[in-house]
């Protein structure tokens, strides 16, 4: 499938203990089906003076891996693999932060013109749990 324009809705929930924070983003981007994965590309507008962040989200069809690459002033690559911990670098305005990413669930429900991807992961810094995350990405092509 070639790149198709799509409306993409992302819902992210971060938890630590009893505290929870939910973020929602709806944007226009593209979705593409490859032999082994689905690729969504979209931009995240930032508050001035920060530049737009370009995001590429790759979800493997076998539901064992998700890669989230963000480029812009503070780039990052998060690799989420089911039941595995990866060390990833996350760029901030104060420098790069090395984080552990432990993948939990990864699910895809792709229907060609629309779909939903869900994945969960824990983040730790210096071995201490900083958040438990659930992300749902929904898309619908024009």
């Amino acid at each position: 499938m070639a790149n198709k324009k799509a409306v993409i809705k992302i819902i992210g929930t971060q938890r630590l203990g009893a505290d929870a924070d939910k973020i929602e983003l709806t944007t226009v981007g593209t979705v593409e089906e490859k032999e082994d994965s689905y690729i969504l590309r979209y931009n995240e507008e930032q508050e001035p003076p920060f530049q737009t962040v370009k995001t590429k989200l790759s979800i493997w069809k076998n539901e064992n891996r998700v890669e989230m690459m963000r480029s812009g002033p503070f780039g990052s690559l998060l690799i989420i693999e089911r039941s595995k911990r990866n060390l990833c670098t996350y760029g901030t305005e104060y420098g790069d932060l090395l984080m552990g990413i432990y993948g939990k669930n990864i699910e895809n429900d792709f229907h060609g013109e629309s779909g939903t991807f869900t994945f969960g992961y824990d983040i730790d810094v210096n071995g201490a749990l900083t958040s438990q995350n659930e992300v749902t990405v929904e898309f619908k092509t024009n």
Side-chain angles (χ1 to χ4, degrees), residues 69-110:
M69 185 184 332
R70 300 179 65 181
S71 58
F74 314 114
S76 63
L77 174 61
L78 300 185
I79 299 171
I80 302 158
E81 291 181 284
R82 187 191 307 257
S83 301
K84 187 173 177 186
R85 182 176 180 265
N86 288 293
L87 288 176
C88 301
T89 303
Y90 189 84
T92 73
E93 60 186 299
Y94 305 107
D96 288 346
L97 182 64
L98 188 62
M99 303 184 306
I101 307 291
Y102 180 79
K104 297 190 296 191
N105 61 305
I106 300 171
E107 298 170 16
N108 69 59
D109 187 17
F110 184 84

